[in-house]
Amino acid sequence: MALALRCFRHLPALLYRSSFTLRALPRSPAACPALLPGGCGQALHQRLLTRQLATKKAKGKGQSQARVNISAALVEDIINLEETNEDMQAVVEALKEDFSRNLSVRTSPGVLDHVIVMTKDGKFPLNQLGQISQKSPQLIIVNMTNFPESTAAAMKAIRESGMNLNPEVDGTIIRVPIPKVTREHRESLAKLAKQSTNKSKEALRKVRSKSINQVKKFKNKVSEDTIWLLEKQIQQMADSTAAEMDKLLAAKTKELLG
C-alpha cells in the first residue's frame, strides 16, 4: 500500500515531463515543395485538406464560399501558378490595347495602322503596306505607292474593319472619309467592344483549360484533394480575370455611348 502511494505521488511529475516531450516534438516543414507520399507530402496534404473541409463547411451553411489561395511554392512541381496568372493578365492587356486602338469616337491615322490586309504573300498590317496620314479631321489618306498590287486588298480590309468606313480609291491613293460621330456609329462601336470582350474571354478559357489539363497530368501522383483544390484555384483566377474584363467593357461602353 505504501509503495502504491509513493508511485501515485510521482505521477504528476511524470505526466508533466510526458506533456513537455509531446510539445517539443519537431513539426514538419511548412513550405516543402514535394507533393509525393511521405513526411512533407503528408503535411501539405493535411493543410490542403483542411482548407477543402473549411470551404465545404462554409458552403454548407449557406455562407459565401471561402476562396482557395494555395502558395505557388507548394505546388511548383505540378504547375506554375504565377505563369498562369501572367497568361491571363496578358489577355486583359490585349483587350485594353484593342479598346484603345480600334474603339474610339476620336478618329486618328493610328486607327488604321493595324488593319490586317490579306495579300497573296500573306497577312500584313496596313501601315506596313501603305503610308497613312490625316489630311483633315474628316479625311485619312493611305498611299499605296510602294505596294500598288495590294491596293484592292487594302480597300477591302478597311471596308471590312468594322469601323463603318467607306474608302475610295484614286490610283494608288486610298481616301478614307471619316463619318460623323452619330448615335448609330457609337452603338456600332459598343457592339464591337462586346464582341472583342467575348473573344478575349474565349482566349481566357483556353488559358484556364491548358492549366487545368496540366494539373490533371499529376492525378496519379498526388491526392484527389490536391487536384481538386488546384483546379478550384485556377477557376477562381479565371473568374477574377473575367470580372476585370466586364469592368473594362462597362467603362468602354459608357465612354462610347456617352
Side-chain angles (χ1 to χ4, degrees), residues 11-215:
L11 184 58
L14 290 172
L15 290 173
Y16 174 78
R17 287 197 295 273
S18 176
S19 63
F20 178 80
T21 303
L22 288 173
R23 286 196 299 268
L25 285 175
R27 296 181 179 179
S28 298
C32 175
L35 291 177
L36 299 176
C40 291
Q42 292 175 356
L44 172 60
H45 171 70
Q46 186 61 39
R47 290 175 63 187
L48 294 175
L49 182 58
T50 300
R51 286 178 181 169
Q52 178 193 13
L53 293 175
T55 300
K56 289 183 176 179
K57 184 177 180 181
K59 184 177 181 181
K61 290 183 177 181
Q63 299 173 354
S64 58
Q65 192 169 349
R67 290 184 63 84
V68 175
N69 188 16
I70 302 173
S71 170
L74 292 176
V75 294
E76 60 184 4
D77 289 346
I78 299 178
I79 188 172
N80 189 330
L81 288 176
E82 293 181 356
E83 184 176 302
T84 297
N85 184 61
E86 289 174 358
D87 290 344
M88 291 183 178
Q89 286 303 309
V91 177
V92 175
E93 292 303 317
L95 180 62
K96 288 180 180 178
E97 185 176 356
D98 181 47
F99 280 179
S100 176
R101 179 191 300 158
N102 301 321
L103 300 174
S104 175
V105 292
R106 297 178 181 178
T107 307
S108 67
V111 300
L112 298 181
D113 283 354
H114 300 280
V115 170
I116 301 301
V117 181
M118 293 286 296
T119 73
K120 63 180 181 180
D121 297 317
K123 299 179 181 180
F124 297 93
L126 181 59
N127 63 352
Q128 291 185 12
L129 300 174
Q131 298 176 341
I132 306 173
S133 60
Q134 187 152 5
K135 197 74 172 177
S136 71
Q138 288 77 39
L139 181 65
I140 293 178
I141 299 294
V142 183
N143 189 333
M144 299 293 296
T145 302
N146 292 333
F147 295 93
E149 69 280 5
S150 299
T151 302
M155 281 271 294
K156 181 179 178 182
I158 295 170
R159 186 176 291 113
E160 297 178 354
S161 64
M163 290 186 281
N164 194 31
L165 300 175
N166 293 301
E168 304 167 354
V169 67
D170 182 11
T172 58
I173 301 297
I174 300 176
R175 301 178 185 276
V176 186
I178 305 303
K180 293 182 178 180
V181 184
T182 62
R183 184 67 183 180
E184 182 181 358
H185 181 54
R186 288 177 179 272
E187 291 175 352
S188 175
L189 291 176
K191 289 180 181 179
L192 289 174
K194 177 66 174 178
Q195 292 173 9
S196 295
T197 303
N198 288 338
K199 289 180 181 178
S200 295
K201 286 185 176 181
E202 179 60 32
L204 175 64
R205 284 191 285 270
K206 290 180 180 179
V207 174
R208 181 203 60 192
S209 297
K210 178 182 176 182
S211 299
I212 289 179
N213 288 338
Q214 173 65 24
V215 169

